[in-house]
Amino acid sequence: MAELHSLWSSHAASRICRALEDVDVFWAEDPINKMNDARALADLRRQTRTPICGSETLGGLVSFRDMLAADALDIVMLDLAWCGGLTVGRKIAALAESYAKPLAPHDCTGPVTLMAGLHLALLAPTAIFQEVVRAVLSTWYRDLVTDIPILRNGMVQAPTSPGLGTALLPEVRQRKDASIRESGKAAHFPWSAQGATARTHVGVIS
Amino acid sequence: MEHHLSLTFEINSGLSASGGRRTIDATDEMRGPYDDQVAFSRDAGRLAESLLSEGFTAMKIWPLDIYAAATGGHMISLEELKAGLEPVPQSARRRR
């Protein structure tokens, strides 16, 4: 796969994607700036045989519906932390299925998002990949949570624990570089069974 | 039935120490054993072999990013395309 990181305008992206045809990449990801431009992406797809993947940068169900309705994508990439969580991600997965497009959850947003993406990918009939980052799987992801995905011969195993199958390690809260944000009471999350409990988000900024 | 899912692979976050997009030049050294942004810039084929040895059968790289800043992403020359895509056939040859 070739990652283009939303750095290019349409003409340059078209030149790149046509050049990539010669090496038969599996996809070109996020080819244009910005990836919410369904019309420009559909135009790009008409100019190249390179499959277009997008986009972890999109948020909300309607963004993905508009992309698929415009024939703007070959592969649907989503990031659960940015698109609207599992609630929206499940619907995007169903949309991708209904448009007969493969789904590939993003990684780079941390180990909790990765585990959630893995669950979604196992659920979604058209999911083909769960992205992982080898460097962080072997380093700081392990420092934050109790469990990370188990890899065996390039295949990630389905988690067997309840829920996400992972949790923040208690010591993360004690780290000097931890940023702790308390948010939410029942009034803010009336639909949540946990709404009556204040929520704590712990993040690490490094 | 055992459930499993194939994995694709992306290298590190691609950010520099200052938080901007990281670029690699001849002076960069590996940050740890899996500094794969350096690895794909130097020898993507070797990186592909390393991934295959651990069972990863897909790899994602971004060899063209370094050419975007000069024109704000509006222009890429033929020379830049050829230079930027040079790592890709190396890795493609090692595909299963």
Side-chain angles (χ1 to χ4, degrees):
Chain A
M1 294 89 164
E3 167 69 79
L4 301 180
H5 282 138
S6 299
L7 290 171
W8 303 96
S9 61
S10 293
H11 181 256
S14 175
R15 283 172 60 77
I16 292 168
C17 289
R18 282 183 282 125
L20 287 169
E21 291 172 6
D22 292 340
V23 290
D24 194 23
V25 293
F26 195 81
W27 72 50
E29 183 172 337
D30 287 359
I32 65 167
N33 181 8
K34 294 178 177 176
M35 283 297 291
N36 61 356
D37 191 340
R39 184 185 174 91
L41 284 168
D43 189 39
L44 176 63
R45 284 190 68 233
R46 285 191 286 270
Q47 298 174 52
T48 180
R49 296 197 306 274
T50 296
I52 303 300
C53 175
S55 171
E56 70 208 36
T57 66
L58 297 175
L61 183 62
V62 171
S63 299
F64 285 89
R65 181 205 63 190
D66 289 349
M67 287 290 150
L68 291 163
D71 292 329
L73 299 174
D74 291 284
I75 296 100
V76 177
M77 169 74 70
L78 60 76
D79 185 295
L80 280 177
W82 297 333
C83 76
L86 281 165
T87 306
V88 175
R90 289 176 60 211
K91 296 171 186 171
I92 295 168
L95 262 183
E97 180 187 2
S98 72
Y99 279 90
K101 299 297 183 189
L103 184 80
H106 177 234
D107 179 31
C108 271
T109 346
V112 176
T113 305
L114 173 59
M115 288 296 280
L118 175 57
H119 281 281
L120 178 71
L122 288 162
L123 165 82
T126 65
I128 54 171
F129 287 117
Q130 166 61 58
E131 182 173 30
V132 295
V133 183
R134 180 174 62 167
V136 297
L137 267 183
S138 63
T139 55
W140 62 267
Y141 274 21
R142 294 171 184 273
D143 299 337
L144 298 182
V145 294
T146 56
D147 296 272
I148 59 173
I150 298 168
L151 279 58
R152 200 169 296 149
N153 297 322
M155 304 294 278
V156 62
Q157 309 301 304
T160 54
S161 306
L164 283 178
T166 195
L168 282 176
L169 290 165
E171 55 264 35
V172 171
R173 198 183 171 89
Q174 311 304 325
R175 286 175 58 138
K176 286 198 171 69
D177 58 351
S179 164
I180 299 172
R181 189 176 62 194
E182 308 263 353
S183 68
K185 292 262 175 123
H188 298 113
F189 301 101
W191 56 85
S192 167
Q194 300 166 28
T197 308
R199 294 174 174 197
T200 304
H201 303 279
V202 180
V204 175
I205 301 169
S206 56
Chain B
M1 190 177 90
E2 187 179 20
H3 291 277
H4 51 237
L5 191 78
S6 56
L7 293 164
T8 183
F9 158 78
E10 183 165 27
I11 63 156
N12 58 27
S13 67
L15 297 181
S16 69
S18 60
R21 179 73 63 193
R22 184 183 179 204
T23 58
I24 302 297
D25 64 29
T27 65
D28 280 281
E29 296 189 4
M30 302 270 281
R31 301 177 192 166
Y34 290 146
D35 193 343
D36 296 324
Q37 186 164 357
V38 171
F40 86 64
S41 302
R42 302 271 162 76
D43 187 346
R46 192 169 165 188
L47 175 60
E49 298 279 11
S50 165
L51 288 165
L52 279 172
S53 75
E54 295 183 21
F56 296 96
T57 55
M59 173 173 92
K60 191 163 80 179
I61 60 176
W62 40 95
L64 295 158
D65 283 13
I66 54 174
Y67 303 110
T71 63
H74 290 293
M75 179 66 197
I76 186 163
S77 71
L78 188 56
E79 292 72 25
E80 289 167 337
L81 270 177
K82 285 180 176 173
L85 294 185
E86 195 275 334
V88 179
Q90 285 181 40
S91 48
R93 278 198 297 272
R94 287 166 172 81
R95 285 186 309 191
R96 282 177 175 167

